[in-house]
């Protein structure tokens, strides 16, 4: 097939689709709350949050394209074939049916529709009915992956941006508190950058960046591009456009949250803050606007996640189930998990994210910088081992206190607090990763001298 260059219109369509898959309800809830917490320290908080919620995810997409990989599994084979299967399964199950997909349904219900119902229907029954309809629609739209640019890029995403634009305009065009006058929360009075950096983990977008790479590559190929270098270029350009749009929306959303401190105190979470802001600036219509904004945000992200998970597992285990079989399985499983409730999902998602995020980040950086060490496998292995070892302590630290005490993990956490720099900021993996890099490079040098 003759190769072709993508047009500007096609780049915009791909970027819009990728943005639609990335930008879910969590991408609204976390920055709004961050704006309330950061106060006058908003600038360093914005930089930290955007780095993990935009920069690293887009680098993840770029890493897939830059290494000419077909997806995460091919990228992870640079560490080892067995590792690629284990890591890919863990990542997709985390970003998919175990946490992220169920969270989409429960978040859209809890934040958008539960306040509208106002207790007229028992919450468990209402959640069951809502999530059933939600996942029925998600499954229907996920069974045809070739139409993903139509459903997300051309239909759902523009509708979402219209409702979000109404909310942002209503909040930002009216007088609000001066950011310089807002006292930061205790946690953000110092080290606001690092606290916001860790807060960006909650969006799960660094993981999603690796997961969505497979979809972006498939979209570009369906548009007639077959050359690996041209595909890599298309992935990178589309990712940069996506990152620009996400950064602008994050800045506006964080600003909206910060200025809301003129009318409200710091809320318990971003969902409550969004509900207060919508009602304050839009009155009775605010609840409906917010409900539809959250619904479309979650819907498009869920479609992208189901599609990417089903594509990945079908490629890894082609004889086990068809693409549609995996899509049905993941959707039904997500439906069941979503009825556990949002609080339970978040409680157990955070430790897993703290465990898997650092290896994701180091894999992305190694893939992008691999030309400086000739993509040497020993460097990948060394960095990965040291990073996993350190991230285990972050995993222990964020487990429920009862589990920590029962398994005596609190002692390991106390040891890590003494020995690992930046551990209190959830960045204790950085030094071990650098040690792993130095060890890998030294071994590579040693191998060369022995030849």
């Amino acid at each position: 097939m003759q190769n072709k260059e993508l047009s500007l219109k096609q780049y915009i369509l791909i970027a819009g689709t990728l943005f639609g898959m990335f930008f879910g309800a969590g991408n609204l809830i976390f920055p709004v709350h961050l704006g309330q917490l950061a106060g006058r320290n908003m600038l360093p908080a914005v930089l930290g949050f955007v780095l993990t919620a935009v920069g690293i995810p887009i680098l993840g997409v770029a890493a897939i394209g830059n290494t000419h990989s077909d997806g995460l599994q091919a990228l992870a084979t640079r560490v080892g074939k067995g590792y690629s299967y284990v890591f890919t399964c863990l990542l997709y199950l985390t970003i998919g049916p175990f946490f992220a997909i169920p969270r989409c349904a429960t978040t859209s219900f809890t934040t958008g529709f539960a306040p509208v119902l106002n207790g007229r229907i028992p919450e468990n029954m209402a959640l069951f009915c809502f999530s059933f309809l939600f996942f029925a629609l998600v499954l229907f739209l996920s069974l045809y992956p070739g139409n993903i640019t139509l459903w997300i890029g051309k239909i759902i995403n523009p509708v979402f941006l219209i409702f979000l634009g109404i909310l942002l305009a209503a909040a930002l065009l009216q007088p609000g508190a001066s950011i310089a006058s807002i006292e930061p929360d205790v946690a953000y009075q110092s080290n606001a950058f690092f606290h916001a950096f860790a807060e960006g983990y909650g969006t799960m977008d660094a993981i999603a960046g690796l997961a969505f790479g497979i979809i972006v590559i498939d979209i570009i190929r369906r548009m007639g591009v077959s050359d690996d270098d041209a595909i890599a270029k298309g992935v990178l350009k589309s990712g940069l456009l996506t990152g620009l749009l996400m950064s602008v929306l994050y800045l506006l959303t964080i600003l909206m949250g910060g200025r809301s401190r003129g009318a409200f105190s710091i809320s318990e979470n971003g969902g409550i803050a969004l509900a207060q802001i919508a009602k304050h600036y839009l009155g009775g219509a605010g609840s409906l606007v917010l409900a539809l904004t959250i619904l479309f945000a979650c819907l498009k992200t869920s479609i992208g996640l189901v599609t990417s998970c089903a594509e990945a597992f079908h490629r890894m285990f082609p004889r086990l189930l068809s693409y549609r079989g995996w899509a049905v399985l993941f959707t039904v499983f997500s439906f069941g998990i979503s009825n556990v409730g949002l609080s339970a999902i978040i409680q157990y998602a955070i430790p897993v994210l703290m465990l898997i995020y650092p290896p994701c980040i180091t894999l992305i950086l190694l893939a992008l910088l691999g030309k400086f060490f000739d993509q040497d496998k020993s460097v990948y292995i060394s960095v990965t081992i040291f990073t996993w070892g350190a991230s285990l302590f972050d995993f222990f630290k964020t487990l429920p206190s009862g589990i920590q005490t029962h398994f005596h993990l609190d002692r390991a956490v106390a040891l890590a607090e003494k020995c690992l720099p930046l551990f209190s900021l959830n960045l204790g993996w950085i030094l071990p990763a650098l040690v792993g890099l130095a060890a890998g490079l030294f071994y590579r040098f040693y191998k060369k001298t022995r030849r």
Side-chain angles (χ1 to χ4, degrees):
M1 180 170 56
Q2 186 177 1
N3 196 45
K4 57 170 284 188
E5 285 286 330
L6 295 175
S7 65
L8 178 59
K9 183 179 179 181
Q10 288 175 315
Y11 275 122
I12 293 173
L13 179 59
I14 297 169
T17 304
L18 183 58
F19 164 81
M21 293 187 293
F22 269 127
F23 210 90
N27 304 78
L28 290 174
I29 289 172
F30 287 108
V32 167
H33 195 223
L34 175 63
Q36 290 191 329
L37 293 170
R40 62 171 174 264
N41 289 335
M42 184 175 292
L43 180 58
V46 167
L47 294 175
F49 186 82
V50 167
L51 181 58
T52 42
V54 179
I56 295 174
I58 298 306
L59 288 178
V61 175
I64 298 291
N66 185 57
T67 56
H68 297 167
S69 302
D70 282 336
L72 171 62
Q73 187 194 4
L75 182 61
T77 54
R78 295 169 187 270
V79 180
K81 185 175 180 181
Y83 177 81
S84 71
Y85 277 90
V86 174
F87 183 68
T88 302
C89 288
L90 178 60
L91 185 142
Y92 274 104
L93 291 175
T94 300
I95 197 68
F98 283 2
F99 297 115
I101 300 175
R103 189 181 73 172
C104 285
T106 52
T107 299
S108 56
F109 172 78
T110 303
T111 306
F113 285 86
V116 176
L117 296 174
N118 198 24
R120 289 188 290 267
I121 303 174
E123 186 168 328
N124 290 342
M125 182 184 298
L127 175 59
F128 181 88
C129 295
F130 175 86
S131 58
F132 179 84
L133 295 173
F134 180 90
F135 282 114
L137 184 57
V138 167
L139 178 59
F140 174 75
L141 298 179
S142 301
L143 290 178
Y144 306 96
N147 293 330
I148 194 167
T149 53
L150 170 65
W151 294 120
I152 295 180
K154 293 184 178 180
I155 299 176
I156 302 176
N157 203 42
V159 174
F160 160 73
L161 288 173
I162 288 171
F163 284 109
L164 178 60
I166 292 171
L167 183 60
L168 287 171
L172 296 178
L173 294 179
Q174 296 187 48
S178 169
I179 297 299
S181 66
I182 301 172
E183 184 70 18
D185 182 70
V186 175
Y188 282 81
Q189 289 180 1
S190 61
N191 297 316
F193 174 88
F194 294 106
H195 285 292
F197 183 94
E199 188 77 9
Y201 284 9
T203 65
M204 300 191 187
D205 281 346
I207 303 175
L210 291 171
F212 290 152
I214 190 173
I215 295 182
V216 177
I217 291 170
D218 284 347
I219 291 172
I220 293 174
R221 283 177 176 161
R222 288 191 186 103
M223 290 180 172
V225 180
S226 57
D227 180 70
D228 284 344
D229 290 332
I231 291 173
K233 179 181 176 182
V235 170
L236 180 59
K237 283 189 175 182
S238 302
L240 290 174
L241 284 174
T242 303
L244 179 61
L245 178 57
M246 290 176 68
S247 298
V248 170
L249 286 180
Y250 278 139
L251 177 60
L252 295 177
T253 309
I254 291 171
L255 184 61
M256 178 174 68
R259 293 184 62 187
S260 72
R261 287 281 301 277
F264 315 107
S265 58
I266 298 176
S267 56
E268 184 179 346
N269 58 61
I272 295 173
L274 279 172
Q276 291 175 329
I277 291 169
K279 186 175 181 180
H280 179 76
Y281 290 108
L282 294 171
S287 297
L288 179 60
V289 170
L290 178 61
L292 293 173
T293 303
I294 298 294
L295 173 63
F296 286 113
C298 291
L299 183 63
K300 56 190 177 57
T301 298
S302 296
I303 296 167
L305 291 173
V306 170
T307 302
S308 60
C309 288
E311 289 273 13
F313 273 79
H314 178 52
R315 291 190 182 191
M316 285 191 293
F317 312 106
R319 297 181 180 180
L320 196 57
L321 285 173
S322 66
Y323 165 81
R324 290 192 170 190
W326 285 113
V328 171
L329 176 62
F330 290 143
T331 304
V332 172
F333 189 87
S334 300
F335 166 67
I337 295 294
S338 68
N339 281 272
V340 172
L342 181 59
S343 297
I345 291 173
I346 292 176
Q347 181 183 14
Y348 289 100
I350 291 175
V352 176
L353 290 175
M354 300 304 294
L355 175 68
I356 200 173
Y357 242 84
C360 284
I361 294 172
T362 54
L363 180 62
I364 290 169
L365 295 177
L366 287 172
L368 292 173
L369 301 174
K371 65 180 181 180
F372 295 108
F373 55 88
D374 298 323
Q375 301 288 355
D376 192 297
K377 192 170 185 176
S378 59
V379 177
Y380 275 89
I381 292 173
S382 179
V383 172
T384 301
I385 290 173
F386 276 85
T387 304
W388 273 106
S391 66
L392 273 174
F393 292 100
D394 286 318
F395 174 71
F396 296 155
K397 182 177 69 172
T398 48
L399 286 170
S401 57
I403 295 178
Q404 288 188 41
T405 304
H406 181 76
F407 291 99
H408 305 292
L409 300 177
D410 47 344
R411 298 176 185 176
V413 173
L415 178 64
E417 287 176 343
K418 293 180 180 179
C419 300
L420 291 178
L422 303 177
F423 182 73
S424 61
L425 300 174
N426 300 316
L427 298 172
W429 57 271
I430 291 180
L431 179 60
L434 292 174
V435 171
L437 177 62
L441 292 174
F442 176 79
Y443 181 71
R444 177 173 177 268
F445 175 77
Y446 174 76
K447 285 192 301 182
K448 281 190 170 183
T449 59
R450 297 282 291 177
R451 291 173 183 170

